[in-house]
Amino acid sequence: GQGRGRAFMRSIRQTADEIVDAARRLLRERDQEWQDAVHFSLVVVTVGSALIIVILIGGALIAGRDFRARERESWLRAALGAISMRLRGDPTITHLGDDVTRALARLLDAPVGALYVGGGGGGGGAHTDVYARVGGYALDASSTPDVRAGDGLLGQAARDRRPIRVRDVPARYLSVASGVGRTDPLEIVVAPAVVDDVVQGVIELGFFRKV
């Protein structure tokens, strides 16, 4: 009787141990599933957040680019309108050159500027390689009135048919004159005007700031 009682108790303990082991395994599996679910949720949230940030940044960049493009277009329309006002009537080439140079200098916040045209100053003669100054804004009296293609910055821009930006401005080049003295600009931009593959003129603008 006692032997059967002991065997019965061992059977009960073995069954209980198996139940506990099964419960532990189930708990570990549930815990692993929960951790996997948490990890997956973190991945989904992280990837989703990253995508939202990318979309927001892309939208902001596109919006900023569109805004700058609209601003640039608006500025160009205003600039063309201001210059068109200068072209009304029947002014002389010198008067017209001064007006256009003044308008460009003010629009671009340039304290000094000069306008040169080819063909002996635009008087109707054949086009030559000499560019005569027909307009100036706050120019020093010693500035060069005529430039030949290839000579100096202006002549080089005319020959190369491309704008030139100069940061190390030569002394007394395109100096700004005022009632209290004379000073040199910090930067200069020289840009040719090309029409029908011919350089018709060149504009020089000097700045007291980085362009």
Side-chain angles (χ1 to χ4, degrees):
Q2 292 181 351
R4 274 184 289 182
R6 292 193 189 93
F8 180 71
M9 292 301 297
R10 284 197 299 272
S11 175
I12 291 176
R13 284 195 294 270
Q14 183 177 358
T15 301
D17 290 341
E18 290 176 354
I19 292 174
V20 170
D21 290 340
R24 287 173 177 171
R25 286 196 301 272
L26 181 61
L27 182 62
R28 286 196 298 270
E29 291 174 357
R30 294 287 175 82
D31 184 65
Q32 185 62 46
E33 290 176 357
W34 179 81
Q35 291 183 10
D36 291 343
V38 170
H39 179 71
F40 179 75
S41 299
L42 287 175
V43 171
V44 171
V45 170
T46 302
V47 173
S49 300
L51 287 174
I52 291 174
I53 291 173
V54 169
I55 292 172
L56 290 175
I57 292 175
L61 290 175
I62 293 173
R65 185 176 59 190
D66 290 343
F67 176 75
R68 288 191 297 272
R70 287 194 298 270
E71 267 196 336
R72 188 182 305 113
E73 185 178 351
S74 176
W75 183 89
L76 285 173
R77 284 199 299 267
L80 290 174
I83 293 175
S84 295
M85 290 290 293
R86 305 285 182 177
L87 300 178
R88 291 183 177 180
D90 190 21
T92 63
I93 185 65
T94 301
H95 186 269
L96 180 62
D98 283 338
D99 279 352
V100 170
T101 306
R102 184 183 304 110
L104 285 172
R106 289 178 177 176
L107 284 168
L108 297 171
D109 194 24
V112 63
L115 176 65
Y116 292 77
V117 298
H127 183 86
T128 70
D129 286 336
V130 176
Y131 296 86
R133 192 179 71 222
V134 296
Y137 179 73
L139 279 177
D140 183 75
S142 62
S143 59
T144 306
D146 298 298
V147 178
R148 185 175 295 276
D151 293 345
L153 296 175
L154 187 144
Q156 195 61 48
R159 172 170 289 179
D160 295 343
R161 300 183 182 185
R162 64 177 181 83
I164 296 178
R165 175 186 176 187
V166 181
R167 293 179 177 175
D168 298 323
V169 181
R172 298 182 179 275
Y173 185 91
L174 202 65
S175 296
V176 183
S178 68
V180 295
R182 178 176 58 192
T183 186
D184 295 331
L186 178 65
E187 290 194 12
I188 289 177
V189 173
V190 186
V194 183
V195 181
D196 295 331
D197 203 33
V198 176
V199 179
Q200 303 289 347
V202 183
I203 182 75
E204 283 186 313
L205 295 171
F207 300 86
F208 286 150
R209 57 181 171 81
K210 291 185 178 180
V211 181

